[in-house]
Amino acid sequence: MSRNVSTTLRRRRRPDPMQAYDALPRPLRAWMAQAALPWSPASCRRIWVKARAEGASQDDILDRLARAERMTLSRDRFSLHARRAPIHDQQDYTT
């Protein structure tokens, strides 16, 4: 199949993200399916492998992922947590 670019340089092969997702352990895939953020299979696998090497159980790893997600969402100014926090520098433009 010809591409829209004329070059003699080799293309970089990128792994199939669905194949990477399917290769994850079932509990990790289930967690990713309900996660609020769009986690990549590569980053989740990296966390999983590192935690397993440290001797963490599956539940401990899933708790670690949930904490990381909560911390990330708490930094997002559009998340529910941030909307509940008082905003001190907001000006009243109704006057």
Side-chain angles (χ1 to χ4, degrees):
M1 174 180 201
S2 66
R3 299 195 41 96
N4 197 11
V5 178
S6 296
T7 183
T8 58
L9 299 175
R10 298 179 68 180
R11 288 190 328 154
R12 188 169 60 169
R13 289 247 187 240
R14 292 198 171 110
D16 179 17
M18 287 309 293
Q19 190 175 27
Y21 177 82
D22 291 340
L24 295 175
R26 185 179 298 266
L28 184 54
R29 285 185 307 204
W31 183 87
M32 286 180 69
Q34 61 80 36
L37 297 173
W39 290 78
S40 73
S43 65
C44 285
R45 183 180 186 284
R46 192 170 35 251
I47 292 168
W48 184 271
V49 168
K50 181 179 178 185
R52 290 299 277 183
E54 293 171 358
S57 70
Q58 290 182 2
D59 292 334
D60 292 339
I61 298 168
L62 297 176
D63 288 342
R64 185 183 297 190
L65 286 164
R67 277 193 314 272
E69 185 172 58
R70 280 194 307 272
M71 287 175 50
T72 302
L73 286 172
S74 71
R75 291 192 314 255
D76 183 7
R77 66 186 180 110
F78 294 117
S79 72
L80 290 175
H81 181 277
R83 279 188 243 160
R84 284 190 220 132
I87 301 174
H88 299 289
D89 61 347
Q90 186 176 8
Q91 295 179 352
D92 184 15
Y93 293 106
T94 58
T95 58

